[in-house]
Amino acid sequence: MLLSVGTMTGGSTVCHCFIKAGIENIFMIYMGRLLLSVLRAVLPVLLSLLPLFASLSNAEESKKLVTFDYAIADTLSALRQPPLAMAGLAQYRSFYREPLLPDARELGNRFQPNFEYLASLEPDAILISPPAHLNLEGKLSRIADVIKIQLFGESLNIWQNLEQLTREVGGLSDQQQQAEALIDSVEARMSAIAAQIERPGKPLFVAEILDDRHLRLYGAGSLEDMVLTRLGLENAWQGPTNEWGFSILTLSEAFQLEGRFILLHPAYSQYLTDSALPTSGLWQHWLNDTPVSIEANYWPWGGFSSALRFAESLVEALETPTER
């Protein structure tokens, strides 16, 4: 009797084991199919997010670039890879009426930077534009690789140099495709502006009054001359220029010029603040016709972003009737 009971008990145990195993198998099959269906639904989404994950990874690993030149900083900013730090940033910011490179750190004076602070940032490269800052190259090279990019000068093709700058900066910041897209977008915008801009009857002088006796004219080798040429306009100033693309004339020399003047409401001059013309001196009797005035919201030695700002301001100024 005990044996019978034991046999029955053992059989029941075996039966329960088989039932349990069957249930587990069914459950595993069900879960496997459920997992497979979930993977089929989720996998395309995960694959579509891979470029985002890659870009985030590249952003975290992007090089720490420092520059002493605004054209380079301008280009880095346009590529959405602003410089880690910049020399002379406070001075550049004082020329604009809007935030400029808000995430970049200040290195001090452009020609007397804080070398200790610069070294503490551990930059991967320091970008300069000769001939400026060549005297600092020795000290800078002890901190990081110094990369020299020459932009302006009478014998240089500024458009080609800005293209080269954009591509080189794009390569340094792993933004090659974005660099090409920026070049294409600027070229397209310039063509659109050229198609709509008013054609003045006279050649244009792009001028900036420095003080009560001196005038700056932008000519060959300047960003302004490059923009005029790109828009199909004639630059009236064909005289010699320095390595920065401008000439300085005296008041008497300015009175002998004939053409239409585009006056830059000063962004660079430290002598003028609120007036396009000085309130004293002979400038008040300079022209019979009031010259066209542009609020200079760009840097004269900037990148493609600055070139577009000047071009768009020029269109607006030429379309605005001047007071007499």
Side-chain angles (χ1 to χ4, degrees), residues 193-202 228 230-234 260 318:
I193 294 174
Q196 76 175 80
I197 197 168
E198 176 186 339
R199 304 290 165 181
K202 298 179 180 179
L228 291 178
R230 204 76 187 181
L231 298 181
L233 304 176
E234 183 181 354
R260 189 173 185 183
L318 291 175

Side-chain angles (χ1 to χ4, degrees), residues 3-17:
L3 178 62
S4 175
V5 173
T7 302
M8 291 178 63
T9 303
S12 177
T13 301
V14 172
C15 181
H16 282 299
C17 288

